[in-house]
Amino acid sequence: MSYALMSQLFVRTLREDPSDAEVPSHSWLVRAGYIRRAAPGIYTWLPMGLKVLAKVEAVIREEIEAIGAQEVHFPALLPRDPYEQTNRWTEYGPNLFRLKDRKGVDMLLGPTHEEMFTLLVKDLYSSYKDLPLILYQIQAKYRDEARPRAGILRGREFVMKDSYSFDIDEAGLQAAYDKHRGAYQRVMERLGLEYVIVTAMSGAMGGSRSEEFLALSEYGEDTFVRSPGGYAANVEAVTIAASPAQDASGVSAPSEILTPGAGTIDALVDQVNAVMPREDRAWTGADTLKNVVFMRVTPQGKKTPLVIGLPGDREIDEKRLEAVLSPDVAAPFTEDDFGSYPLLVKGYIGPCRIGDDAGVLLGEEALSGVTYLTDPRVADGTSWVTGANRADTHVVNLVKGRDFTSDGVIDVAEIREGDPAPDGSGPLTLARGVEMGHIFQLGRKYADALGLKVLDSNGKLVTVTMGSYGIGVTRAVAMVAEATCDAKGLAWPRALAPFDVEIVIAGKDAELADAAHRLAADLEVEGVDVVVDDRNVSPGVKFADSELLGFPTTVIVGRGLKDGVVEVRDRTTGASRTVPVADAAAAVIADVRG
């Protein structure tokens, strides 16, 4: 007998949700005994979880090898030097797990392996005749996430498939990129995920082009936009066109108004409408220029103030800001920081002062050491209500280009439902998703840094151009669970389920057990992966666990046996039917094989 017995399977189901569960997949995978928390963001994979993980890996291997990729496997423990040469030892910042060996040599746990793949190819290949080449691995990665969450959706240790293409020119890179894009589409479809491909930021990876494959989910951390005309982008990658310059010749000179306690946009708008009402319409938040100050921090720890001016009816999107500043980060501007820059008056910051001490305060290095950047909507000739750099005071009719300048443009304001798509294809709608895959045209960033060159057909050394392509394997398990679970538990698609069929012995009579084991043996002979629930617990517990565990087909051998029938249940549809015992094996095999 080689079919599995539940009484011997290393699994314990739980009746209560884990205290740290944030999403259904996390709760069900823990409760059903697929994974077990070892530490925050770190999980142990139990036997049934490993079976699902292996099936997801098999799908990915089949599709990636179908485009000509060859598998290798790198260590997770890596030397510092290659990452120092590409500057990612520093750029990764606190997300990188750093350690020293007994000799005091710096090491790291690999967050991704561009450097190692580049050096491997450099070591072994030297001619254009060796290219094109695609190598891949499926391996654990390590990132010290500040906020690991949602079980295996965002962990500090996770399994990823990463592949890399090596080509002699841009045409070869584009071909490899297109192959991966198609392979990823087939992977998503085979996993049964509803997904969208969006334009994305390359971030610390670098490169000229990147796209993300996002699985649609209300629990997703990634916000993306779509338009009726087909535009789709991660919200960080949306680019707002700069507003055209306006004629400000008819705008009167700026003037100050007292706005006691107007430290918010809403309070400011109320006071301006009361003190200086407009004839054409009421003032709104869109007429105000909000100036938000951060401390910009480099990976080396250098700090400089950064002030961002944007329309007052918009907020800064922290993820867009993070993407634009990377590898630097934006830290809060503290009370001590304001003490060091007394000309920045908290709640009343503006780009200049008028009156007796008139002058540009921000922009073009007016206040030494402070960078002032403005939103694309803050165009030359636009007029604003903004802070006067005095407590309880604002300025009206302050014109960009006439009264103040900036050091540049920064596009980090929130994107809102209904905003126009950058390509003119209609209004944007917002949705949420989980990043399942990310593909990059790296170009020559890593090859240049690490000296990966080959001889071309003319005998001249040329730098290899590269692509990088990742899929989250453990994340895929979580997202399939998320997409298919219901209020009772998991409901695996047949191609990924740890077992095709579960046979439940619904009673203590020996005849029930004998019939169940005979059916299991018949199914096993036909190549069906079977588990028999032979535990000494009540039928009610077995039925609840059956729904929790999520196997596609459940056969219940119970009181119907005296009438010569068993019950066959479909976990996905909830359908149930009775089948004669003599026909049970054939009926189940038909279900399994579709």
Side-chain angles (χ1 to χ4, degrees):
M1 180 185 73
S2 60
Y3 54 83
L5 299 175
M6 194 72 78
S7 61
Q8 298 176 11
L9 196 61
F10 187 65
V11 60
R12 288 293 183 273
T13 57
L14 305 176
R15 293 291 166 247
E16 301 294 333
D17 291 335
S19 60
D20 60 339
E22 300 175 74
V23 298
S25 62
H26 183 191
S27 176
W28 293 130
L29 287 168
V30 172
R31 285 183 55 184
Y34 285 76
I35 60 173
R36 192 75 178 169
R37 183 180 182 270
I42 304 172
Y43 285 83
T44 301
W45 288 80
L46 305 184
M48 288 196 298
L50 275 177
K51 287 170 73 72
V52 178
L53 185 66
K55 290 187 176 184
V56 171
E57 289 181 1
V59 169
I60 294 171
R61 275 193 175 89
E62 287 175 15
E63 294 299 341
I64 208 68
E65 292 188 359
I67 64 171
Q70 302 175 65
E71 186 170 9
V72 298
H73 190 83
F74 283 96
L77 182 63
L78 302 172
R80 170 178 175 167
D81 185 61
Y83 290 81
E84 190 74 65
Q85 292 181 60
T86 61
N87 205 37
R88 293 209 295 176
W89 175 264
T90 301
E91 287 182 357
Y92 255 109
N95 283 345
L96 196 65
F97 279 104
R98 297 173 172 85
L99 65 153
K100 292 180 183 291
D101 67 12
R102 65 176 63 200
K103 296 180 181 179
V105 176
D106 284 322
M107 308 288 286
L108 68 145
L109 295 179
T112 183
H113 281 73
E114 281 76 13
E115 287 83 352
M116 305 311 296
F117 274 88
T118 304
L119 289 173
L120 178 64
V121 176
K122 177 184 177 182
D123 186 37
L124 296 175
Y125 276 6
S126 59
S127 169
Y128 76 98
K129 296 178 181 178
D130 297 322
L131 305 179
L133 173 69
I134 300 175
L135 299 176
Y136 82 99
Q137 67 172 345
I138 296 177
Q139 195 237 38
K141 309 289 186 187
Y142 299 87
R143 295 176 190 171
D144 194 2
E145 295 281 356
R147 294 176 297 276
R149 62 176 295 272
I152 56 175
L153 271 179
R154 178 170 289 279
R156 296 195 292 165
E157 178 186 88
F158 55 95
V159 177
M160 186 171 81
K161 187 287 301 176
D162 51 326
S163 56
Y164 302 85
S165 61
F166 301 85
D167 290 276
I168 196 71
D169 54 26
E170 299 300 324
L173 171 59
Q174 186 63 54
Y177 188 92
D178 292 342
K179 285 181 180 179
H180 278 86
R181 197 176 193 272
Y184 276 32
Q185 289 176 283
R186 292 187 291 274
V187 167
M188 299 300 151
E189 289 160 5
R190 289 181 62 179
L191 296 179
L193 296 174
E194 185 180 2
Y195 71 97
V196 62
I197 305 174
V198 302
T199 301
M201 297 282 282
S202 296
M205 291 285 287
S208 59
R209 180 188 178 192
S210 75
E211 291 176 294
E212 287 180 352
F213 288 70
L214 299 179
L216 302 183
S217 171
E218 62 181 296
Y219 303 107
E221 290 186 323
D222 290 277
T223 302
F224 68 94
V225 297
R226 290 183 286 190
S227 75
Y231 176 84
N234 191 305
V235 71
E236 294 99 293
V238 178
T239 302
I240 300 301
S243 298
Q246 298 184 20
D247 180 6
S249 59
V251 181
S252 59
S255 60
E256 289 185 349
I257 59 172
L258 291 177
T259 53
T264 67
I265 295 299
D266 288 342
L268 172 61
V269 169
D270 289 342
Q271 292 202 32
V272 177
N273 277 313
V275 174
M276 189 179 288
R278 295 175 58 140
E279 294 182 359
D280 54 342
R281 59 174 176 81
W283 296 96
T284 71
D287 300 311
T288 68
L289 179 64
K290 175 165 51 181
N291 296 285
V292 185
V293 59
F294 298 94
M295 190 62 81
R296 182 170 186 167
V297 185
T298 69
Q300 294 81 15
K302 181 182 178 182
K303 298 181 178 181
T304 54
L306 169 64
V307 182
I308 298 175
L310 71 161
D313 64 336
R314 297 270 173 172
E315 300 295 335
I316 290 177
D317 185 314
E318 292 185 5
K319 294 195 75 172
R320 281 166 61 77
L321 178 61
E322 177 186 352
V324 168
L325 295 185
S326 179
D328 296 353
V329 297
F333 207 74
T334 66
E335 292 295 337
D336 288 344
D337 294 328
F338 277 107
S340 299
Y341 293 86
L343 291 178
L344 298 176
V345 181
K346 185 177 181 181
Y348 297 89
I349 298 174
C352 69
R353 280 178 167 170
I354 64 172
D356 293 339
D357 55 353
V360 174
L361 179 66
L362 301 176
E364 297 182 351
E365 299 183 358
L367 182 56
S368 179
V370 178
T371 302
Y372 184 49
L373 303 176
T374 48
D375 183 85
R377 301 169 185 84
V378 186
D380 283 351
T382 54
S383 176
W384 302 93
V385 179
T386 189
N389 291 297
R390 309 181 210 276
D392 297 327
T393 309
H394 280 83
V395 180
V396 179
N397 295 331
L398 200 72
V399 174
K400 170 76 183 301
R402 183 190 74 181
D403 304 314
F404 72 94
T405 58
S406 69
D407 296 312
V409 175
I410 186 168
D411 186 5
V412 294
E414 63 180 348
I415 304 299
R416 297 196 298 220
E417 193 90 12
D419 281 347
D423 65 352
S425 56
L428 296 175
T429 57
L430 276 71
R432 301 193 69 80
V434 173
E435 181 186 344
M436 296 302 304
H438 204 154
I439 56 178
F440 300 85
Q441 290 189 4
L442 294 178
R444 296 175 174 83
K445 173 182 176 178
Y446 296 91
D448 275 332
L450 298 168
L452 174 55
K453 299 177 183 290
V454 296
L455 294 172
D456 67 10
S457 58
N458 297 315
K460 179 183 176 182
L461 274 176
V462 296
T463 304
V464 171
T465 186
M466 294 172 54
S468 175
Y469 319 89
I471 287 182
V473 183
T474 46
R475 185 173 286 184
V477 174
M479 277 312 300
V480 172
E482 196 72 52
T484 56
C485 69
D486 58 21
K488 296 178 180 179
L490 300 165
W492 297 109
R494 194 172 296 281
L496 302 180
F499 295 99
D500 291 314
V501 178
E502 178 189 27
I503 301 175
V504 174
I505 303 173
K508 297 182 179 180
D509 293 345
E511 292 85 354
L512 300 180
D514 290 343
H517 287 293
R518 285 195 300 272
L519 177 57
D522 290 343
L523 292 173
E524 182 189 27
V525 168
E526 294 297 323
V528 178
D529 207 357
V530 182
V531 60
V532 176
D533 193 345
D534 61 334
R535 295 175 297 166
N536 187 24
V537 296
S538 71
V541 170
K542 292 181 179 181
F543 297 154
D545 280 352
S546 175
E547 292 174 318
L548 171 62
L549 293 166
F551 308 134
T553 300
T554 299
V555 179
I556 299 172
V557 182
R559 58 186 127 179
L561 186 65
K562 67 180 185 301
D563 299 320
V565 297
V566 295
E567 181 183 354
V568 179
R569 294 180 181 177
D570 185 301
R571 178 66 182 89
T572 301
T573 66
S576 174
R577 69 188 193 275
T578 57
V579 176
V581 173
D583 301 331
V588 170
I589 290 169
D591 288 347
V592 170
R593 295 176 180 171

